[in-house]
Amino acid sequence: CERLTELCLCKFSIAIPKMAGLEELRLRANGVDRWPEIWRLAGLRRLDVSENKLTEVPQALCGMPALESLAMDANELEEVPGCLGSMAALRQLSLCDNKIRQLPRELLLSPSLTFIGVARNPVAEELSFFRELAEERRSLDLPTLGIDV
């Protein structure tokens, strides 16, 4: 299949155990409205699910030990789980063009995250976001933190 329709998504989920060595997965612009069981790919380092129809982020995603880059831009997300901030390998998290009003403190405190993209989300328009970020980080240098607003 060219796009992950419901039937293809089912086939894809069935094939996941056979993709154990996969390090990068791009599901961008596939019309995906629910997550395939990608958390079973323990070696996955880069994941892009941007430009889909996802409305939530499953907690199981936080159990992916090798994930370094996670792009979830242009979906329909209103919140993200705080456990993403405790993922030791996660360096880049892009959440642009969603409906996120607040970021969990765990993300702001994460020592491993070097980039958090929140442009074109309600959270990026609120001054309280920057105030909270400055309080949690003790210093606020947006280019250094890689904050994209």
Side-chain angles (χ1 to χ4, degrees), residues 30-47:
N30 270 287
V32 176
D33 61 358
R34 59 192 164 92
W35 290 82
E37 295 181 4
I38 53 173
W39 42 88
R40 293 172 32 199
L41 297 170
L44 196 66
R45 296 176 57 205
R46 291 172 299 285
L47 174 61

Side-chain angles (χ1 to χ4, degrees), residues 4-122:
L4 284 181
T5 62
E6 191 168 324
L7 178 62
C8 292
L9 186 61
C10 183
K11 288 180 182 176
F12 179 77
S13 292
I14 290 170
I16 285 177
K18 297 175 182 159
M19 297 186 268
L22 193 66
E23 291 187 4
E24 182 172 358
L25 179 59
R26 285 176 262 158
L27 296 175
R28 177 181 284 271
N30 270 287
V32 176
D33 61 358
R34 59 192 164 92
W35 290 82
E37 295 181 4
I38 53 173
W39 42 88
R40 293 172 32 199
L41 297 170
L44 196 66
R45 296 176 57 205
R46 291 172 299 285
L47 174 61
D48 186 350
V49 292
S50 298
E51 299 177 32
N52 282 295
K53 300 175 184 175
L54 298 169
T55 58
E56 62 184 358
V57 180
Q59 294 277 337
L61 203 62
C62 299
M64 299 181 73
L67 196 63
E68 298 172 359
S69 176
L70 176 56
M72 299 186 286
D73 302 323
N75 276 285
E76 298 172 16
L77 303 174
E78 293 184 11
E79 59 184 27
V80 291
C83 63
L84 292 176
S86 63
M87 296 175 68
L90 191 62
R91 301 286 181 261
Q92 298 184 344
L93 177 62
S94 193
L95 302 164
C96 300
D97 294 304
N98 278 289
K99 301 173 183 175
I100 299 168
R101 296 194 175 281
Q102 184 175 356
L103 288 177
R105 294 183 85 78
E106 295 89 345
L107 285 180
L108 301 176
L109 292 170
S110 174
S112 61
L113 276 173
T114 58
F115 176 85
I116 304 172
V118 294
R120 295 170 301 283
N121 275 286

